[in-house]
Amino acid sequence: MKFLLPLLLATTAGHAQIATQATPVEKIKVAKGFKVELLYSVPKETEGSWVAMTQDDKGRMICSDQYGALYRITPPAIGGSPGETKIEKLSIDFGHCQGLLYHAGALYGVVNDDAYQGRGLYRCKDTNGDDQFDAVELLRSFPGKAGEHGPHGVVAAPDGRSLYVVCGNQTPEPSCETSRVPRHWAEDRLFPMLLGRGFMRDVLAPGGWLAKTDLDGKKWELVNTGTRNTYDIAISRHGDIFGFDADMEWDTGMPWYRPTRVCFMQSGGEFGWRTCSKKWPVRWEDSLPAVVDIGPGSPTGVAFGYGAKFPAKYQDALYICDWSYGKMYAVHLARNGAGYTGTTEEFMSASPLPLTDIEVSKKDGAVYVSVGGRKVQSGLYRVTYVGGESIEGTKESSLQVYAGAAERFSCEQFHGKQDPKAIDYCWDLLGHQDRGVRFAARIAIEHQPMASWKDKALAEANPRVAMTALMALARSSGGDKTLLKPILDALSKIDFKSLKGLDRVTLIRDYMLAFTRLGEPDAATKAELIAKLNPLFPTNDTGLNRDLAEVLVFLGDAGIVAKAAPLVNDSPTQEEQIDYARILRFAKTGWTKELRADYFRWFLRAANYKGGASFDLFIGEIKKDALGTMSEEEKLAIKDVLDAKPEAKAPSFTIKPMNFVKAWTVADLEKSLGVGLEGNRNFQNGRNMFGAATCFACHRFQNEGGAIGPDLTSVAGKYSPRDLLEHILEPSKEISDQYGSTVFTKKDGSMVVGRIANMKENIMMVCTNMMDPNNFTNVDARDVVKTGESKISMMPPGLLFMLKEDDILDLMAYLLSKGNPDDPMFVK
């Protein structure tokens, strides 16, 4: 579990101090119509800091101290006084749990340290009927060392006869007897990793995992892999599993960083976590994408609202807890073919509110929420609905069939087993229009003996089916190098120009997999591939361009350098620039003196780019590797550039600096928002302006950019062109609760404005600049006399003042098209 933020506690009269009371309810924001009660502030010195919670068959909550005992809480009746809350320490010598589940008359606990018999799944029973657990048994131990990326949540399966257990990437898979994931996972990256600070540098695939077991913990089945540190999971009424996963905050600002995200954890799934720089981008079809990206944070407990006495919308929501930023989101899921999409709503928040777990009471229909972790002040809250909407819930049938979901589910029946029917049933589904169906079909095929479908894959004429089948073949090859030429020959028959969108990406990814699994081709084959692939670069897909460049550099193409090297300096995002620098660091031929000089001048600019704690080290490693490909003569030719030092505190422009044009207002531009967006806009310039206006520094858009501000991919469905323009030009007019900041007033009258992102003991680490997320202002909580909401957005004004009117319209079209170059707004 990754905790970042201890607890600053607000007290009376608007003042704040470190105290022995959990955050008071008047400091907590909650959705309209809901009420929050503080039932209990945990005495930290005697009862610890609670991180896991479950409900027993009498409606009582059982909580575990992260480093200590179990406690049972009998809440007062709704409407009763919080002072009536009854707390008892359980007599059994057990605790230290990061996952708790009361089920089938027993208490299951997941221990994530060296207490008792070490990390693993335990079961506690009451053997004499005295309402106290008195027997503990270890059902299965988990390998690995103690750490916060270890064993986490445990939940009951819908059948009531089995359990799911989720673990982070510090926990090796515990020798499951069966696996829905084909056991031929690998790193599957063409180039060596960049280490940064090297956290988990030696941890290889499969990463974090989800497994299923019986109630006695005897037989285990691996369900999916490739997560980083999912702390908890929740199961929908359809039986679909969802988790809230995090990325490494040290990687912020790098092209492989992914925001915290909600994942639909389907059978046989792979979610692409790899250590350091080896993480897979979401565009690669051998992994699964997120349902919705959230942003920076530290995921903890999750739960569906089923059974809560809430309005139907909130009963159906998936609630996810973010420990570091003190926010609980209601994720409103929607079916999207075989998978899901989602929108998020900030449901409950405070600064701070280190949320750890959530439980819907089967007894009173309230939602119980715990805060704590890392020995900070802990507490227990209750959330009820007191508004005027109906609390009649929806009862959607779990048997309801959705387009794509039925095909996915049918393919999943072959996961983890050999069945000759799988090939006939799943083969055509390898070309299904839905990515989730294709993934499920491929996993079913990979579980069958390769000899039974190898020739079929190599002979497949349908391009979409062939690409998925050849992906399966490369992954299942077992390193048989005799398959390299047949796979490359089959890929060469697929016409790249006839493909669109993700299909193009998948074709290039298949080449990557052929090389990572089966090795380098011979010189003649390399030359043929270069002649075929080089003319394809560049495309209008930035992710595909980077994949193409990487493959061509791997093959030794001298011609790609002249095409790709300028993009190190000219790309509109720092992430894209860094990725081209990373890829080209191993290019040995094709350089001119000018290209080399420009490449190394970029490092002088990049020294002023911003990112996480590993950022500077990653950039330094790229430069070191690039220097390692050069002769002494080549180095001497550009000695002046190599010896130059970056300008201290130089402006962090990702593209060339621009001059002031005009202090634009909505009135200046709204007349052009109609006809000005009708078919005559420039897509590439719009993307470039998104970088020029520094939007990419803070915002995600189509899976690229920063993650400090809200993801802007969906703005087209939320705002009219005028409303969107107003939000950009007047950011303080309406500030989202999710991205608001706090004003901390100190004893000396000075103020610090920003968002708490970390804390150690009494020192709050406040991010005051969204464009520099790793630069904190330290504030001693003992010096703070008042906290309040800032009325000024952390998004700076004037971001469009350097742009001409046509540039602004191109930017608007880029946003409103959701980054689609084929949108009718753009010139063809």
Side-chain angles (χ1 to χ4, degrees):
M1 179 166 53
K2 183 183 70 170
F3 292 118
L4 294 177
L5 178 62
L7 188 57
L8 172 71
L9 298 169
T11 60
T12 60
H15 290 69
Q17 63 180 28
I18 298 296
T20 56
Q21 294 293 308
T23 304
V25 295
E26 60 267 23
K27 292 290 184 179
I28 298 175
K29 296 180 182 178
V30 69
K32 184 178 179 180
F34 291 88
K35 175 185 177 181
V36 180
E37 299 171 87
L38 173 58
L39 298 182
Y40 186 60
S41 288
V42 179
K44 182 166 53 174
E45 298 303 320
T46 57
E47 296 179 4
S49 190
W50 298 354
V51 296
M53 179 168 55
T54 188
Q55 180 183 195
D56 70 11
D57 55 354
K58 294 182 174 63
R60 300 170 296 188
M61 299 297 155
I62 300 173
C63 292
S64 178
D65 173 18
Q66 185 177 2
Y67 306 106
L70 298 176
Y71 296 87
R72 187 159 59 193
I73 305 96
T74 304
I78 293 177
S81 168
E84 300 171 7
T85 303
K86 179 183 177 182
I87 309 294
E88 55 179 317
K89 180 180 179 181
L90 295 183
S91 59
I92 192 168
D93 182 19
F94 186 67
H96 293 249
C97 296
Q98 291 197 8
L100 279 178
L101 171 69
Y102 185 90
H103 180 68
L107 178 67
Y108 293 89
V110 176
V111 172
N112 185 11
D113 58 25
D114 296 326
Y116 315 114
Q117 297 178 60
R119 306 195 314 168
L121 175 67
Y122 292 76
R123 178 170 61 186
C124 303
K125 289 184 175 180
D126 175 5
T127 63
N128 57 15
D130 67 349
D131 200 29
Q132 287 287 332
F133 300 107
D134 51 53
V136 182
E137 57 182 322
L138 174 63
L139 301 184
R140 178 154 300 198
S141 62
F142 297 147
K145 299 178 181 179
E148 291 186 343
H149 289 225
H152 293 316
V154 53
V155 302
D159 62 14
R161 301 187 300 274
S162 51
L163 310 172
Y164 286 100
V165 177
V166 64
C167 289
N169 56 10
Q170 236 170 5
T171 311
E173 177 256 318
S175 302
C176 295
E177 286 74 15
T178 59
S179 177
R180 287 180 157 259
V181 184
R183 291 183 178 274
H184 47 237
W185 47 69
E187 301 301 285
D188 288 325
R189 295 300 306 240
L190 286 177
F191 293 149
M193 68 177 169
L194 300 165
L195 291 174
R197 291 182 177 268
F199 184 63
M200 293 196 181
R201 60 187 296 174
D202 298 322
V203 177
L204 303 179
W209 50 268
L210 175 69
K212 186 178 183 181
T213 185
D214 57 271
L215 297 185
D216 294 323
K218 299 297 185 184
K219 296 181 179 180
W220 288 66
E221 179 182 48
L222 189 62
V223 177
N224 53 52
T225 61
T227 52
R228 180 176 178 267
N229 194 28
T230 301
Y231 182 75
D232 197 9
I233 60 169
I235 304 176
S236 76
R237 56 166 56 96
H238 304 289
D240 290 334
I241 305 170
F242 295 85
F244 185 22
D245 198 22
D247 204 352
M248 178 47 135
E249 67 275 7
W250 291 356
D251 294 355
T252 304
M254 304 307 294
W256 50 86
Y257 175 77
R258 303 185 300 200
T260 61
R261 57 191 198 149
V262 175
C263 295
F264 166 37
M265 304 183 75
Q266 71 183 60
S267 171
E270 159 68 69
F271 295 91
W273 178 84
R274 297 296 185 269
T275 191
C276 299
S277 68
K278 293 191 293 182
K279 198 178 305 98
W280 297 358
V282 296
R283 62 182 176 269
W284 289 355
E285 278 209 27
D286 37 341
S287 67
L288 291 166
V291 172
V292 61
D293 286 337
I294 302 300
S298 297
T300 48
V302 304
F304 276 98
Y306 306 146
K309 292 182 178 179
F310 289 0
K313 171 184 176 181
Y314 292 100
Q315 290 188 43
D316 292 339
L318 171 67
Y319 295 89
I320 60 173
C321 296
D322 171 12
W323 189 87
S324 61
Y325 285 98
K327 297 179 184 295
M328 180 191 295
Y329 299 96
V331 181
H332 304 291
L333 299 169
R335 283 282 186 175
N336 181 30
Y340 294 83
T341 58
T343 58
T344 58
E345 174 189 358
E346 187 174 303
F347 180 77
M348 175 179 173
S349 66
S351 181
L353 191 69
L355 300 154
T356 54
D357 212 349
I358 176 174
E359 188 79 16
V360 178
S361 172
K362 295 181 284 287
K363 182 178 181 181
D364 60 24
V367 168
Y368 289 81
V369 180
S370 60
V371 301
R374 277 195 178 173
K375 300 183 179 180
V376 305
Q377 177 60 49
S378 194
L380 180 67
Y381 298 85
R382 177 166 64 190
V383 182
T384 53
Y385 182 68
V386 294
E389 292 185 42
S390 169
I391 58 173
E392 184 73 23
T394 59
K395 296 181 180 180
E396 190 175 8
S397 169
S398 62
L399 300 177
Q400 188 168 349
V401 177
Y402 294 85
E407 290 90 342
R408 172 181 59 78
F409 182 74
S410 295
C411 292
E412 289 174 353
Q413 304 314 299
F414 299 107
H415 291 182
K417 64 185 71 171
Q418 293 187 3
D419 187 330
K421 296 177 183 177
I423 298 173
D424 289 338
Y425 181 83
C426 297
W427 196 260
D428 287 344
L429 294 177
L430 294 172
H432 197 277
Q433 63 181 0
D434 190 292
R435 179 174 175 173
V437 175
R438 293 196 299 271
F439 187 97
R442 177 175 57 79
I443 296 301
I445 296 296
E446 290 184 19
H447 277 293
Q448 311 313 310
M450 188 180 71
S452 66
W453 55 271
K454 177 187 72 173
D455 292 341
K456 189 176 178 71
L458 293 171
E460 178 58 53
N462 181 300
R464 178 64 270 179
V465 175
M467 287 188 293
T468 312
L470 294 169
M471 176 177 284
L473 185 56
R475 286 167 43 85
S476 305
S477 63
D480 181 359
K481 296 185 183 299
T482 64
L483 284 173
L484 178 60
K485 187 177 188 308
I487 289 176
L488 294 179
D489 287 345
L491 290 173
S492 70
K493 296 175 184 177
I494 299 172
D495 180 15
F496 178 88
K497 293 182 179 179
S498 69
L499 305 177
K500 294 183 179 180
L502 190 59
D503 288 354
R504 290 184 165 193
V505 174
T506 300
L507 177 61
I508 304 306
R509 176 59 175 162
D510 279 357
Y511 280 110
M512 286 183 170
L513 289 170
F515 303 145
T516 60
R517 298 284 179 139
L518 302 170
E520 293 188 38
D522 58 38
T525 303
K526 284 183 178 180
E528 291 176 7
L529 289 170
I530 289 169
K532 180 181 181 66
L533 298 177
N534 179 283
L536 304 178
F537 185 95
T539 71
N540 59 14
D541 183 327
T542 60
L544 174 59
N545 285 341
R546 283 133 80 175
D547 291 346
L548 268 170
E550 187 157 349
V551 168
L552 287 165
V553 170
F554 175 82
L555 293 172
D557 176 23
I560 189 60
V561 172
K563 292 183 175 184
L567 298 174
V568 175
N569 282 287
D570 295 343
S571 295
T573 77
Q574 75 173 36
E575 291 85 356
E576 190 176 351
Q577 292 179 11
I578 292 167
D579 222 13
Y580 279 116
R582 174 191 67 84
I583 293 164
L584 290 169
R585 78 192 200 273
F586 290 125
K588 297 179 181 179
T589 59
W591 292 100
T592 64
K593 175 183 175 181
E594 292 73 20
L595 287 173
R596 285 279 197 196
D598 283 345
Y599 177 85
F600 281 99
R601 285 190 190 100
W602 174 82
F603 290 96
L604 302 177
R605 295 171 57 199
N608 289 290
Y609 290 174
K610 306 301 180 184
S614 286
F615 188 86
D616 293 344
L617 296 176
F618 284 134
I619 299 299
E621 289 177 63
I622 293 172
K623 184 175 182 180
K624 180 180 178 181
D625 287 341
L627 286 169
T629 67
M630 299 173 66
S631 68
E632 292 305 316
E633 282 186 337
E634 290 173 320
K635 292 178 185 177
L636 185 61
I638 59 168
K639 186 176 184 300
D640 59 329
V641 176
L642 297 180
D643 289 346
K645 302 298 181 183
E647 181 182 346
K649 297 183 181 180
S652 181
F653 293 111
T654 54
I655 64 174
K656 295 177 182 179
M658 304 176 73
N659 296 319
F660 176 83
V661 174
K662 182 177 179 178
W664 294 103
T665 65
V666 174
D668 292 331
L669 296 164
E670 62 181 343
K671 64 182 183 302
S672 301
L673 292 179
V675 66
L677 296 175
E678 294 180 357
N680 57 353
R681 302 273 42 103
N682 183 309
F683 173 82
Q684 188 57 52
N685 188 55
R687 184 170 183 271
N688 288 342
M689 293 305 102
F690 197 75
T694 67
C695 306
F696 272 127
C698 300
H699 298 283
R700 300 287 285 180
F701 190 77
Q702 292 292 6
N703 295 314
E704 60 179 339
I708 303 301
D711 190 315
L712 299 182
T713 306
S714 62
V715 292
K718 296 179 179 178
Y719 302 114
S720 69
R722 188 190 188 283
D723 289 340
L724 177 58
L725 181 64
E726 186 175 69
H727 276 282
I728 298 171
L729 289 174
E730 303 174 30
S732 295
K733 189 169 184 178
E734 181 180 348
I735 304 173
S736 167
D737 288 344
Q738 185 175 350
Y739 297 98
S741 55
T742 301
V743 179
F744 301 92
T745 303
K746 299 164 68 173
K747 292 177 181 177
D748 62 5
S750 64
M751 293 184 291
V752 176
V753 182
R755 297 169 64 190
I756 302 174
N758 202 346
M759 188 171 176
K760 184 176 182 180
E761 297 178 354
N762 293 321
I763 303 301
M764 299 180 293
M765 299 171 67
V766 180
C767 177
T768 59
N769 181 358
M770 289 177 65
M771 296 184 182
D772 192 0
N774 201 49
N775 185 13
F776 304 115
T777 297
N778 290 339
V779 177
D780 192 323
R782 293 165 296 188
D783 289 341
V784 176
V785 296
K786 186 170 64 173
T787 63
E789 297 178 32
S790 173
K791 303 301 182 183
I792 300 174
S793 173
M794 292 188 73
M795 176 177 168
L799 295 179
L800 302 187
F801 293 179
M802 304 292 183
L803 276 56
K804 299 176 182 177
E805 181 170 347
D806 277 341
D807 294 332
I808 295 173
L809 293 175
D810 288 344
L811 169 60
M812 295 287 292
Y814 176 68
L815 289 168
L816 294 168
S817 71
K818 297 184 179 180
N820 176 18
D822 297 321
D823 190 277
M825 283 186 284
F826 299 114
V827 175
K828 298 299 182 287

